[in-house]
Amino acid sequence: NFFGLLPESMSNSKLYGVELDSVTGRIAKQLYQRASIAVQGFETTSLPDSFFDLAVGNVPFGSFGVADKKYDKYKFFIHDYFFARSIDKVRPGGIIAFITSKGTLDKQNPEVRRYIAQRAELVGAVRLPNNAFLANAGTEVTTDILFLQKRDRVIDIEPDWVHLAATADGVPINRYFADNPEMVLG
């Protein structure tokens, strides 16, 4: 899911949504009749770059890629692709707030985090308990809510959160959560 917001003022905000599932997309169209909801894959949308003030979503998780010529060379998994493409869609200074699996921040290979950090600043993150979605979605997965702010240009930077650290028990964890344990709720 991708929901972009282009506020002229909060009361005059323009909402845009993308939903792959046709039933969910049709429900969204009924619930948000003043919004522009595209029922199609995010990769096939023609949303303009540097347009949205805010992007909010629950990125799909998976160890498979998405065919998109602009990003194919990076060999992103689907959740990483959503971050990369969303960064391109928000304007400089725009905010991205995404729910993602812990794999985004905790995967062993730091390349995707480096890609993100060069294009957006990590404003903050919250790690949710692994049962946060058990009642609603019937799933037990550790999830994070990430807040990013798009930079005005790509810069060569590698902040601490690009790397992993370890808990006192030796469990690998993103340096952000090692340095900010109060942001881990479970």
Side-chain angles (χ1 to χ4, degrees), residues 137-175:
T139 184
E140 287 189 60
V141 62
T142 302
T143 53
D144 297 333
I145 304 173
L146 303 183
F147 299 91
L148 302 165
Q149 185 170 30
K150 184 176 178 174
R151 299 182 188 285
D152 60 357
R153 60 182 164 50
V154 176
I155 60 173
D156 188 16
I157 191 170
E158 197 165 303
D160 288 344
W161 68 269
V162 169
H163 302 287
L164 300 181
T167 65
D169 300 333
V171 176
I173 190 170
N174 187 276
R175 163 96 33 216

Side-chain angles (χ1 to χ4, degrees), residues 99-163:
I99 298 172
T100 185
S101 73
K102 74 175 189 159
T104 299
L105 289 182
D106 285 2
K107 74 176 78 177
Q108 196 68 33
N109 185 330
E111 288 304 311
V112 170
R113 291 187 299 275
R114 187 175 296 116
Y115 178 96
I116 293 169
Q118 291 172 343
R119 292 158 178 80
E121 178 181 348
L122 178 67
V123 177
V126 178
R127 174 143 301 162
L128 301 175
N130 69 346
N131 63 356
F133 295 101
L134 186 60
N136 290 359
T139 184
E140 287 189 60
V141 62
T142 302
T143 53
D144 297 333
I145 304 173
L146 303 183
F147 299 91
L148 302 165
Q149 185 170 30
K150 184 176 178 174
R151 299 182 188 285
D152 60 357
R153 60 182 164 50
V154 176
I155 60 173
D156 188 16
I157 191 170
E158 197 165 303
D160 288 344
W161 68 269
V162 169
H163 302 287

Side-chain angles (χ1 to χ4, degrees), residues 21-88:
D21 180 74
S22 65
V23 173
T24 306
R26 290 193 316 265
I27 291 170
K29 283 183 173 193
Q30 288 300 310
L31 290 174
Y32 305 102
Q33 294 182 8
R34 295 180 58 187
S36 175
I37 308 290
V39 183
Q40 64 189 96
F42 187 36
E43 70 280 6
T44 64
T45 63
S46 60
L47 299 169
D49 285 350
S50 297
F51 181 73
F52 298 96
D53 290 313
L54 174 67
V56 178
N58 181 356
V59 300
F61 308 160
S63 298
F64 55 91
V66 175
D68 185 327
K69 290 179 187 175
K70 184 174 179 180
Y71 303 93
D72 284 347
K73 66 183 173 187
Y74 299 107
K75 298 182 179 11
F76 288 137
F77 287 146
I78 189 165
H79 47 282
D80 302 327
Y81 169 80
F82 266 70
F83 276 92
R85 189 153 195 254
S86 296
I87 289 170
D88 286 344

